[in-house]
Amino acid sequence: MNKFVSIFNDVIGPVMTGPSSSHTAGPTRIGKLAKQFIANDLLKADIYFETKGSFAMTYKGQRSDKGLAGGLLGWEPEDVRMVNSLNEAEKCGIKITFNIADFNAPHPNTVKLVLTDINHNKFYITGLSLGGGMVELIEFNGYNISICGDFYELILIFNSYKDNYDKTILKVLKENYIEPEYVNTFEKSQDTLINIKLSKKLSKEILDKIKKLTSPDYIKLISPILPILSRKNCSVPFNSAEEILQYAENESKDLFQSAVFYECTRGGITEEEVINKMEYILKIMKESIEKSLHGNAKMPYILQPQAHLVKKAEAEGRLINIGVLNKIIYYSMSCMETSSSMGVIAAAPTAGSCGIIPGTLISICEEIDLDDESCVKALFCSGLIGVLIASHATFAAETCGCQAECGSASCMAAAGIVYLAGGTIQQSISAASLALQNVLGLVCDPVAGLVEIPCMTRNIMAASNAVSCANMALAGVKEVIPLDEVIDSMYSIGKMLPRELRCTCLGGLADTKTGKNFNKNLQQIKY
């Protein structure tokens, strides 16, 4: 089964509460998917993080515990109640424990869940948070599975399997004009699990008929958690910068039009639906900037609100006149402050880099008097560049360091800025390449496991880099190394980075004397 990247699933989004897409939104989605596997009300959840993984050191500071609790309560990642999810779970009679244990984790962001329902049935689930809020469940009760939240998933387990069961199920579906997207079978000893992926929900009547005819020992329909569903005949029109340029030249399209065509093709949805989704995301971005622009963000840990200080200093003429860049600084900071206070933001492509794209594109639109429609178009341009990164590398700092987060966002923002300035597709791609080249090797070393230091100032650095590279490309400066090759290089470099520099709090600034003191002091705080 091919994995085709979606702008809304993988790149611009999710809309979520901060502070981390892979450590807050990802766990929320894992919890929301896992909760659907149990047959009755949840009584207890024992959650395990691998000793050497990223969650072990960061799950409190990056609110993975609250995300998992919210997901187990059935909440969406953008639910404003997320900050109180642990208390809400306790009120609902759900006991949740968090444990650090040694096990063979296939990914730095691996979480094992043991869920116990009110009838004391236990369900064993393993999930991965893959970066940017994307997840995959890879194990259920000893069966190897692959559930990413982009299908309706019919799960059946037979302790005594008969060869005609799958044919019987498919016949029932066909009688109701339902064509399965994929049918997967997993075996364990004498037992068999059948996973049928669907593009639409099954009615209770259909499920009851399947149960009557096959008598499974377990049956559950899992609902999707991603905004854009997948399908068997899913395809994308291009998958590299070179292919985008070729399409645009052949069809006389600009970068925005190419991005819309891509997402319509990928999702099987209309242009109107695609535009409406991005308009909503722009609304969230603007609100996330405005919410903390006046020094009112509730940041409980190391940093206090500071975006308003830059805004005030600019108004009083105390800053060097660097034009729109000063506004970009405090807009980007404000968005990050909203995220740190568990406010609602749009990850673009991650929560740890959420200030860069809105900070640059919205500021520049205001500066040169462009409307929201123009900003939406620029967001699509940024999103299409992000598709290339998601397809050929990653946005996960746990895998590739901060070059994959702030670096990717800077690369994407540069392309969008060029579009706003009236540049060509080639200039957008050149700017993206230059921006990403400048941050190769950037490590992820969050002090005390929080998305604050150095994340806040790295957002500013990356935003400034995006503007500079956009101007260079508009002036005709050549990138020399093609964007596709730079993306490949970023991924290669990321795999060379030691795990201490990939969001584990074991190296870099997190390992300084001051960083360690912050970590020690914050361990005394109830998150």
Side-chain angles (χ1 to χ4, degrees):
M1 185 174 68
N2 292 321
K3 168 70 168 66
F4 293 110
V5 169
S6 156
I7 291 175
F8 294 114
N9 284 354
D10 303 79
V11 184
I12 306 292
V15 174
M16 56 169 286
T17 60
S20 171
S21 44
S22 58
H23 284 194
T24 315
T28 303
R29 284 174 161 174
I30 288 172
K32 188 174 175 64
L33 282 172
K35 168 71 181 308
Q36 296 184 65
F37 279 83
I38 70 173
N40 303 290
D41 289 342
L42 181 61
L43 177 66
K44 183 181 179 185
D46 296 305
I47 296 168
Y48 297 86
F49 303 125
E50 205 274 329
T51 305
K52 295 182 179 180
S54 181
F55 280 132
M57 294 294 291
T58 64
Y59 81 89
K60 288 185 179 180
Q62 297 190 25
R63 281 70 147 204
S64 307
D65 49 358
K66 294 183 177 183
L68 281 160
L72 291 171
L73 289 167
W75 298 354
E76 298 291 339
E78 66 266 32
D79 198 305
V80 295
R81 298 172 294 174
M82 198 68 68
V83 67
N84 296 315
S85 61
L86 290 168
N87 291 334
E88 289 299 315
E90 187 176 352
K91 288 179 184 177
C92 292
I94 303 171
K95 181 180 180 181
I96 303 179
T97 68
F98 297 93
N99 311 275
I100 310 299
D102 291 322
F103 58 86
N104 186 23
H107 187 278
N109 288 342
T110 300
V111 55
K112 287 181 174 287
L113 303 95
V114 182
L115 306 182
T116 305
D117 69 14
I118 56 174
N119 293 333
H120 299 285
N121 298 307
K122 289 186 181 294
F123 301 82
Y124 300 85
I125 299 165
T126 301
L128 312 179
S129 182
L130 301 171
M134 299 298 286
V135 302
E136 181 183 13
L137 300 190
I138 61 168
E139 184 266 338
F140 170 56
N141 283 4
Y143 294 96
N144 294 322
I145 59 173
S146 178
I147 293 178
C148 298
D150 52 350
F151 289 102
Y152 288 93
E153 310 271 359
L154 180 60
I155 308 290
L156 306 100
I157 296 178
F158 298 92
N159 294 336
S160 179
Y161 180 71
K162 294 183 179 178
D163 288 340
N164 64 342
Y165 281 165
D166 56 343
K167 295 178 182 177
T168 301
I169 296 167
L170 295 177
K171 181 180 179 183
V172 173
L173 295 177
K174 186 175 182 180
E175 288 172 351
N176 288 275
Y177 306 101
I178 296 171
E179 180 68 28
E181 303 297 328
Y182 296 95
V183 179
N184 297 315
T185 301
F186 304 93
E187 296 182 353
K188 184 188 70 171
S189 300
Q190 302 300 314
D191 303 341
T192 300
L193 181 148
I194 297 177
N195 174 204
I196 301 177
K197 297 180 181 292
L198 304 156
S199 60
K200 61 177 65 176
K201 186 175 182 178
L202 299 182
S203 67
K204 183 178 183 301
E205 290 73 20
I206 295 174
L207 288 172
D208 287 343
K209 187 170 184 180
I210 290 173
K211 281 193 273 188
K212 182 179 179 180
L213 293 174
T214 63
S215 300
D217 295 277
Y218 173 93
I219 181 170
K220 258 293 190 172
L221 181 67
I222 310 299
S223 295
I225 47 93
L226 292 178
I228 305 297
L229 299 188
S230 293
R231 60 198 188 283
K232 182 165 52 181
N233 59 348
C234 182
S235 64
V236 293
F238 28 76
N239 198 30
S240 69
E242 185 177 350
E243 290 176 358
I244 293 171
L245 286 167
Q246 188 65 52
Y247 165 80
E249 181 180 345
N250 292 343
E251 302 296 327
S252 299
K253 302 293 185 182
D254 64 17
L255 191 56
F256 155 68
Q257 293 167 326
S258 301
V260 170
F261 176 64
Y262 177 96
E263 193 65 7
C264 288
T265 304
R266 161 61 181 83
I269 54 180
T270 66
E271 183 175 326
E272 182 181 11
E273 290 175 290
V274 167
I275 298 294
N276 287 343
K277 285 181 182 294
M278 194 64 86
E279 288 175 342
Y280 171 68
I281 286 175
L282 176 60
K283 174 178 175 289
I284 295 297
M285 287 179 169
K286 285 191 163 188
E287 289 174 352
S288 69
I289 291 171
E290 181 61 30
K291 183 174 181 180
S292 300
L293 202 53
H294 309 290
N296 53 343
K298 296 180 180 179
M299 301 171 66
Y301 306 127
I302 301 175
L303 295 180
Q304 294 301 308
Q306 299 175 94
H308 68 291
L309 299 178
V310 183
K311 187 175 187 293
K312 184 173 183 288
E314 182 191 44
E316 295 174 351
R318 293 187 285 116
L319 302 183
I320 297 170
N321 184 6
I322 51 176
V324 71
L325 192 54
N326 280 327
K327 178 181 278 192
I328 289 172
I329 290 170
Y330 59 76
Y331 271 21
S332 299
M333 289 179 70
S334 183
C335 190
M336 282 292 288
E337 288 174 2
T338 295
S339 180
S340 292
S341 61
M342 289 197 79
V344 177
I345 53 112
T350 70
S353 59
C354 70
I356 298 162
I357 289 175
T360 53
L361 300 188
I362 293 172
S363 296
I364 289 170
C365 282
E366 291 178 356
E367 183 73 10
I368 59 179
D369 199 25
L370 295 176
D371 57 15
D372 283 356
E373 182 180 351
S374 298
C375 200
V376 165
K377 290 179 178 180
L379 283 170
F380 273 109
C381 296
S382 295
L384 187 55
I385 296 301
V387 161
L388 304 180
I389 300 173
S391 298
H392 301 288
T394 181
F395 295 131
E398 300 82 7
T399 302
C400 275
C402 195
Q403 60 171 358
E405 293 204 26
C406 287
S408 294
S410 185
C411 167
M412 294 160 59
I417 294 167
V418 169
Y419 179 85
L420 291 175
T424 66
I425 293 188
Q426 180 59 69
Q427 288 172 329
S428 282
I429 291 173
S430 294
S433 177
L434 289 168
L436 191 56
Q437 289 178 42
N438 290 345
V439 293
L440 291 180
L442 186 62
V443 303
C444 181
D445 50 351
V447 171
L450 304 175
V451 191
E452 294 187 5
I453 302 172
C455 315
M456 180 75 71
T457 51
R458 283 193 183 153
N459 270 247
I460 309 309
M461 175 277 297
S464 304
N465 179 52
V467 176
S468 300
C469 292
N471 272 343
M472 286 193 289
L474 288 165
V477 175
K478 303 300 182 183
E479 74 276 27
V480 183
I481 308 298
L483 176 60
D484 293 324
E485 294 181 28
V486 179
I487 292 170
D488 290 341
S489 181
M490 182 192 78
Y491 193 48
S492 175
I493 291 168
K495 290 188 290 185
M496 296 178 191
L497 289 175
R499 74 180 187 91
E500 289 83 0
L501 300 178
R502 291 184 278 115
C503 198
T504 56
C505 305
L506 297 174
L509 295 177
D511 195 40
T512 61
K513 179 180 178 180
T514 301
K516 289 178 178 178
N517 285 337
F518 274 125
N519 186 54
K520 182 179 178 180
N521 293 336
L522 288 170
Q523 295 306 312
Q524 311 304 317
I525 297 176
K526 183 178 180 181
Y527 286 85

